[in-house]
Amino acid sequence: MENFSSNQENAAYEKAARRVKELKSFYGNLTSYCIVIPFLFILNMLTSPRELWFYWPMLGWGIGLIAHGANTFGIGKDWEEKKIRQLMEQEKKSKINF
């Protein structure tokens, strides 16, 4: 019984560590975006103000950032959790039937 509890704690710790790593990655990406895009804007305005090319990296990186945020904050992940639970229950049922 004690070993089972220890395994649950280890699994919970690994899940929490993974979550922290995902959050750090997202916030690092967001911070980089907030620093680099204004720099590109200033560079664009100083070099060629008639051609607004900074919109392209802003748009591309912004779409990537939105996708990263959706993945990090679990938008659309409910189906993954449900499927994992369903497969685990099927595995338990198949072990019981043997």
Side-chain angles (χ1 to χ4, degrees):
M1 193 68 155
E2 186 177 310
N3 192 17
F4 180 72
S5 177
S6 177
N7 286 339
Q8 280 185 328
E9 287 178 20
N10 287 339
Y13 177 80
E14 288 176 14
K15 187 175 181 180
R18 223 176 307 120
R19 177 77 175 140
V20 168
K21 188 175 180 180
E22 288 175 0
L23 287 170
K24 271 179 62 174
S25 174
F26 172 73
Y27 285 121
N29 194 1
L30 179 63
T31 302
S32 299
Y33 181 83
C34 291
I35 292 170
V36 172
I37 295 301
F39 172 75
L40 290 178
F41 173 76
I42 292 168
L43 184 65
N44 184 193
M45 291 300 121
L46 291 175
T47 58
S48 56
R50 291 184 183 191
E51 298 174 27
L52 299 177
W53 53 262
F54 82 94
Y55 281 118
W56 298 111
M58 183 178 77
L59 180 65
W61 196 352
I63 291 170
L65 189 62
I66 289 169
H68 193 179
N71 191 20
T72 300
F73 294 109
I75 298 171
K77 282 201 170 192
D78 290 339
W79 70 271
E80 289 179 12
E81 291 291 328
K82 288 178 185 176
K83 191 65 174 179
I84 289 170
R85 287 188 192 121
Q86 179 186 20
L87 292 173
M88 288 174 65
E89 291 202 15
Q90 286 176 352
E91 185 71 25
K92 284 179 187 178
K93 288 178 184 177
S94 66
K95 285 182 181 180
I96 291 173
N97 290 336
F98 279 118

